[in-house]
Amino acid sequence: MSRIEETAEFIPVRIAVLTVSDTRDLDQDKSGDTLVARIEKAGHTVAERHILPDEREQIAEQLRLWCADDAIDVVISTGGTGLTGRDVTVEAHRDVYEKEIDAFGTIFTIVSMQKIGTSAVQSRATGGVANGTYLFALPGSPGACKDAWDEILLKQLDYRHRPCNFVEIMPRLDEHQRRK
């Protein structure tokens, strides 16, 4: 069963937060605030925070910039994962991914089902890796951000989490780009 290895050292990661919304600014960004508070409470660093409109190319470009930045280990976006015409965050993420973390969306759906029942089917939360950086796209509600962080990311972004976690394999995420 999963557990925290108390004898292991905590390793903070640097996380960028992107809110995707045509209508919010920083004063109204409750989902971004939720993520920032949880990231900091866990002992990680909020490396950057931005808000962008629901524009696929702008989102993908910001993700690429952050993936190229050595000071950012993880990107978490919130918003734009639904089914409407303006919801393009998932497509933007997939434009950037080298590998998709298929089980992230599945686990998020399982967690969401326990909270909101069959309404969880409307979420397209996703995760992936690009240029040695983890990327996660979460729905735009504070509740969804809490659920994703508290039930999945808090544990997987903690080096002490056993039997395995995302942090311990970070050094190997871009090994295919290194010379043999």
Side-chain angles (χ1 to χ4, degrees):
M1 197 57 154
S2 70
R3 63 183 171 27
I4 295 294
E5 179 64 49
E6 298 296 339
T7 60
E9 181 181 346
F10 177 79
I11 299 173
V13 295
R14 300 159 299 185
I15 304 171
V17 176
L18 175 64
T19 298
V20 177
S21 175
D22 288 330
T23 59
R24 293 186 200 154
D25 59 26
L26 280 176
D27 292 334
Q28 305 160 328
D29 183 17
K30 292 180 182 175
S31 296
D33 290 343
T34 296
L35 287 169
V36 166
R38 280 171 157 67
I39 290 165
E40 291 175 342
K41 182 179 179 190
H44 299 298
T45 302
V46 176
E48 288 198 40
R49 181 178 178 186
H50 293 304
I51 296 179
L52 288 177
D54 292 281
E55 296 293 339
R56 183 174 176 169
E57 289 306 316
Q58 286 183 46
I59 298 164
E61 181 58 26
Q62 184 62 62
L63 296 175
R64 286 185 190 99
L65 286 171
W66 280 341
C67 287
D69 187 339
D70 289 337
I72 295 174
D73 303 308
V74 178
V75 176
I76 303 173
S77 68
T78 175
T81 64
L83 301 173
T84 70
R86 295 288 295 155
D87 291 326
V88 296
T89 302
V90 173
E91 289 75 17
H93 270 251
R94 289 183 174 146
D95 289 345
V96 176
Y97 291 166
E98 293 166 4
K99 293 184 178 186
E100 190 160 357
I101 305 170
D102 298 316
F104 179 80
T106 303
I107 298 299
F108 180 79
T109 301
I110 291 167
V111 168
S112 294
M113 280 283 298
Q114 296 170 2
K115 310 283 176 130
I116 62 172
T118 60
S119 295
V121 75
Q122 293 187 33
S123 171
R124 298 185 304 137
T126 185
V129 177
N131 199 34
T133 304
Y134 288 109
L135 301 114
F136 301 99
L138 310 179
S141 74
C145 290
K146 288 176 190 176
D147 293 344
W149 181 265
D150 295 350
E151 302 297 329
I152 306 168
L153 295 174
L154 175 67
K155 297 167 185 153
Q156 282 298 300
L157 294 176
D158 189 333
Y159 179 76
R160 303 166 304 164
H161 185 266
R162 300 292 181 255
C164 58
N165 61 76
F166 289 144
V167 179
E168 66 188 349
I169 59 173
M170 272 183 181
R172 296 183 50 218
L173 292 178
D174 63 354
E175 66 189 2
H176 66 286
Q177 297 173 343
R178 291 185 230 133
R179 212 176 273 231
K180 292 184 180 186

